[in-house]
């Protein structure tokens, strides 16, 4: 039997857990406090986008200009509300199939990294009891450029001591799929195909994803190179 060399890098929000609902509530409260509304459709556009860039987009939608110092305060305020909500998360909020796939990978000795834009990933992983699955964690605290820049995934591969052609990224945001492609990695898009152009495989969630499927995907992709 061939030795398994693949490594997996997971986005967090929208792939392993659904935190978009909490981001929505916190951003909506902030927008409302500034005198305008914030919709679910706008929240969709913030998937994979880091905190400050999200705030810039929201202020632009509301037609509001703020200084850098004011923006820092607003982002901190939103984060206080968001952290209050995620502090109450529990393992029951892990998305379907995530635990099973992470366990299959662990059982087969396949290395696993987190590649998230969030600066709150440590707390979310702790509250949902997922921390122990990860050999490396790269999140918003560890990168200087955010998705679609490939930095988060390149760092993940480095920390797993592997190269990009062995890595498979799991992403629910188009900026994340773009980042993985820029890093030269295979991508499993989690969600709807029309929102995730360029993904090698699209799944609605991680339920039913097998390790063999991931090995085949990587081999086929590398053979095409
Ligand atoms: C991403 C989310 O994972 O993290 C974005 O998809 C969010 O919506 C970003 O803005 C940053 O999160 P945080 O927790 O650092 O504010
Ligand atoms: Mg995501």
């Amino acid at each position: 039997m061939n030795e398994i060399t693949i490594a997996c890098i997971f986005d967090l929000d929208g792939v392993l857990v659904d935190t978009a609902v909490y981001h929505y509530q916190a951003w909506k409260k902030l927008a409302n406090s500034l005198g305008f509304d914030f919709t679910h459709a706008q929240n969709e556009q913030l998937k994979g986008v880091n905190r400050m860039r999200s705030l810039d987009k929201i202020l632009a939608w509301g037609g509001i200009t703020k200084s850098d110092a004011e923006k820092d305060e607003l982002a901190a305020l939103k984060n206080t509300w968001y952290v209050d909500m995620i502090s109450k998360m529990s393992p029951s909020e892990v998305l379907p199939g995530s635990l099973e796939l992470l366990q299959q990978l662990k059982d087969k000795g396949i290395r696993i990294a987190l590649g998230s834009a969030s600066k709150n990933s440590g707390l979310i992983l702790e509250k949902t009891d997922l921390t122990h699955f990860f050999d490396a964690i790269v999140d918003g605290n560890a990168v200087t450029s955010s998705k679609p820049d490939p930095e988060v995934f390149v760092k993940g591969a480095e920390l797993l001591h592997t190269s990009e052609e062995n890595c498979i990224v799991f992403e629910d945001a188009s900026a994340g799929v773009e980042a993985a492609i820029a890093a030269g990695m295979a991508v499993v898009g989690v969600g709807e195909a029309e929102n995730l152009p360029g993904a090698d495989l699209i799944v609605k969630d991680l339920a039913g994803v097998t390790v063999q499927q991931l090995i085949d995907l990587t081999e086929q992709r590398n053979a095409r190179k």
Side-chain angles (χ1 to χ4, degrees):
M1 203 175 109
N2 290 339
E3 200 193 328
I4 300 171
T5 56
I6 63 164
C8 291
I9 309 182
F10 289 88
D11 173 50
L12 178 63
D13 298 319
V15 170
L16 299 174
V17 291
D18 186 12
T19 44
V21 56
Y22 303 127
H23 280 297
Y24 171 72
Q25 287 171 24
W27 283 130
K28 186 175 166 70
K29 188 169 172 180
L30 189 77
N32 291 168
S33 77
L34 295 168
F36 60 94
D37 207 7
F38 175 66
T39 66
H40 282 287
Q42 287 169 329
N43 195 51
E44 281 299 300
Q45 294 181 49
L46 302 181
K47 285 187 173 171
V49 177
N50 74 19
R51 195 180 308 161
M52 285 316 283
R53 277 181 44 217
S54 296
L55 177 62
D56 282 338
K57 279 173 175 269
I58 290 166
L59 293 176
W61 288 325
I64 285 184
T65 310
K66 294 282 181 191
S67 69
D68 285 350
E70 287 168 327
K71 284 199 278 186
D72 285 346
E73 275 178 33
L74 292 173
L77 186 59
K78 180 263 175 180
N79 194 53
T80 308
W81 296 328
Y82 178 69
V83 168
D84 272 351
M85 290 186 262
I86 60 173
S87 299
K88 298 182 191 96
M89 284 182 86
S90 73
S92 67
E93 289 174 75
V94 173
L95 286 170
S98 305
L99 275 186
E100 291 78 1
L101 180 57
L102 289 166
Q103 193 59 57
Q104 273 191 73
L105 295 167
K106 263 285 169 269
D107 291 346
K108 294 197 155 44
I110 294 170
R111 282 157 298 164
I112 306 171
L114 188 81
S116 168
S118 175
K119 293 187 172 179
N120 293 301
S121 74
L123 179 60
I124 297 168
L125 291 176
E126 183 204 317
K127 292 290 169 188
T128 54
D129 215 3
L130 292 177
T131 314
H132 63 101
F133 285 110
F134 292 89
D135 300 297
I137 290 182
V138 186
D139 68 5
N141 300 298
V143 295
T144 49
S145 307
S146 56
K147 301 169 188 177
D149 189 283
E151 183 184 0
V152 65
F153 298 133
V154 171
K155 281 206 166 138
E158 272 169 23
L159 290 174
L160 294 181
H161 307 291
T162 190
S163 56
E164 73 280 0
E165 73 265 17
N166 297 326
C167 293
I168 301 163
V169 170
F170 295 79
E171 257 295 346
D172 72 314
S174 64
V177 171
E178 240 185 278
I181 293 170
M185 298 176 184
V187 199
V188 176
V190 183
E192 302 295 329
E194 71 253 35
N195 302 329
L196 302 165
D200 298 283
L201 171 72
I202 300 280
V203 294
K204 91 172 166 19
D205 55 37
L206 299 179
V209 175
T210 64
V211 172
Q212 193 55 52
Q213 203 178 2
L214 301 176
I215 293 170
D216 293 347
L217 181 80
T218 313
E219 282 177 356
Q220 284 158 13
R221 190 174 162 280
N222 290 338
R224 282 200 302 272
K225 275 193 188 160

